[in-house]
Amino acid sequence: MFNGAGVAIVTPFNEGKIDFEAFEKLIDFQIENNTQALIVLGTTGEASTQTYEEREKLISTAIERAGGKIPVIVGTGSNSTQVAIENTKQAETLGADGILLVTPYYNKCTQKGLIEHFTTVANVTSLPVILYNVPSRTGVNIAPETVLAMSKVKNVVAVKEASGNISQILEIKRLVPKDFKIYSGNDDQVVPIFACGGHGVISVSSNAIPREMQHMCQAFMDGNVEEALRIQLLYKKFIDLLFCEVNPIPIKAALNAMGYIKNELRLPLTSMEESNRIKLVDEMKKLGII
């Protein structure tokens, strides 16, 4: 896997279709600015509104453009175990380096169901698996004991923790093996999760500030906690604005302001409210992002 900042990369659209030219430019921007991994077809990539065929081309494009320089990790999760299996097999066949498995949403399940679901999907692939805990979206929380159970499955190697619950993350760290990785799923908690024994972040903000997010992570890993905290605080307001509306609405507005993509999302997501967009752009100007 990776240590440091991986980007949960957006999927750019142009008149309803994926804008592959813009997508390739985004990947180049990430690699040039030291991002440690590309995470495609996650929440930020609007995976839930893309067809199987679109997924195939997006994954292939990401792998080809990355050219082995950094790992490409594909979000393959679903609330249907069978669909998650099909997505996972697709990603492995196309040459992905790992998969990200979100908890089943809407129909939900018990902790027993989570273990059976994750284990069933993990067993159809040789790729390393990152569990994805985001209860604010799915309505299901992965309990620390469940993460422990899953850490015993040989290719389940990490968890992306977006619960925001620092006490829970500490408990996960206490339970799991030392080589099991914990990634922050919240950009405003990177330094706190590093302090809990974490290994990095799967970041929305890295779409716009990849070098800065990786510098923050590297500073902490090098023992310069003061510098890591300085960066975390410097970009705190920017990060807050990126989540003042549902992700990826604000980050797409930010990338549009930077000239990388059209400000286009797929329904039911809609463009950022103008009052919020102005605040976001103003903060980006203050920080020198644009």
Side-chain angles (χ1 to χ4, degrees):
M1 290 284 87
F2 67 97
N3 292 321
V7 62
I9 198 163
V10 304
T11 302
F13 298 115
N14 186 354
E15 297 182 357
K17 296 180 180 180
I18 296 174
D19 187 341
F20 286 100
E21 182 179 352
F23 186 57
E24 289 178 342
K25 288 179 180 178
L26 289 175
I27 292 171
D28 292 345
F29 175 59
Q30 293 298 317
I31 292 172
E32 289 163 4
N33 284 279
N34 207 27
T35 289
Q36 299 298 295
L38 293 176
I39 295 84
V40 301
L41 289 165
T43 303
T44 312
E46 296 176 75
S48 58
T49 55
Q50 292 181 50
T51 67
Y52 188 84
E53 291 73 24
E54 286 176 321
R55 291 178 61 92
E56 181 172 341
K57 190 170 181 183
L58 199 75
I59 296 165
S60 297
T61 301
I63 292 168
E64 182 178 350
R65 198 71 177 187
K69 295 174 184 175
I70 56 175
V72 176
I73 298 163
V74 179
T76 63
S78 171
N79 64 335
S80 163
T81 303
Q82 186 56 43
V83 171
I85 287 171
E86 292 167 4
N87 289 344
T88 298
K89 288 180 176 178
Q90 178 192 50
E92 182 165 21
T93 299
L94 293 171
D97 297 294
I99 63 168
L100 180 71
L101 279 182
V102 72
T103 53
Y105 41 85
Y106 185 68
N107 46 1
K108 302 167 66 172
C109 61
T110 63
Q111 295 299 304
K112 177 183 176 182
L114 285 178
I115 292 171
E116 293 194 14
H117 171 80
F118 286 139
T119 302
T120 299
V121 179
N123 283 342
V124 305
T125 182
S126 61
L127 294 177
V129 176
I130 304 173
L131 308 178
Y132 180 14
N133 191 34
V134 58
S136 64
R137 283 185 179 265
T138 66
V140 180
N141 179 61
I142 309 177
E145 294 77 14
T146 300
V147 179
L148 171 61
M150 292 310 306
S151 72
K152 297 175 183 178
V153 178
K154 65 179 181 179
N155 59 329
V156 177
V157 299
V159 62
K160 175 185 177 183
E161 245 295 346
S163 68
N165 186 336
I166 295 296
S167 295
Q168 173 169 288
I169 294 164
L170 270 174
E171 180 65 3
I172 291 170
K173 184 62 180 178
R174 186 182 74 84
L175 292 173
V176 297
K178 287 184 179 180
D179 60 351
F180 189 87
K181 293 186 183 294
I182 300 172
Y183 298 116
S184 175
N186 294 324
D187 286 348
D188 62 346
Q189 292 186 337
V190 181
V191 170
I193 287 178
F194 262 121
C196 293
H199 300 84
V201 59
I202 295 177
S203 169
V204 174
S205 305
S206 284
N207 279 279
I209 51 169
R211 184 171 295 276
E212 293 82 356
M213 292 299 290
Q214 176 56 22
H215 180 51
M216 173 170 58
C217 293
Q218 194 62 54
F220 196 102
M221 292 186 290
D222 290 343
N224 193 346
V225 177
E226 185 176 346
E227 172 65 4
L229 182 58
R230 181 191 70 80
I231 298 168
Q232 181 83 88
L233 296 175
L234 176 64
Y235 290 98
K236 174 67 165 58
K237 184 176 179 181
F238 173 62
I239 290 168
D240 288 347
L241 287 166
L242 288 182
F243 293 92
C244 71
E245 294 186 28
V246 175
N247 178 51
I249 290 171
I251 190 59
K252 280 200 157 180
L255 288 170
N256 174 255
M258 295 170 74
Y260 279 105
I261 66 170
K262 289 186 177 294
N263 192 15
E264 184 175 329
L265 301 104
R266 280 189 174 168
L267 288 171
L269 298 183
T270 53
S271 297
M272 195 174 192
E273 295 291 337
E274 184 61 15
S275 59
N276 288 331
R277 192 193 70 81
I278 291 170
K279 293 175 186 176
L280 176 62
V281 170
D282 284 347
E283 183 63 16
M284 292 172 72
K285 288 177 179 177
K286 288 177 185 176
L287 292 168
I289 299 170
I290 54 175

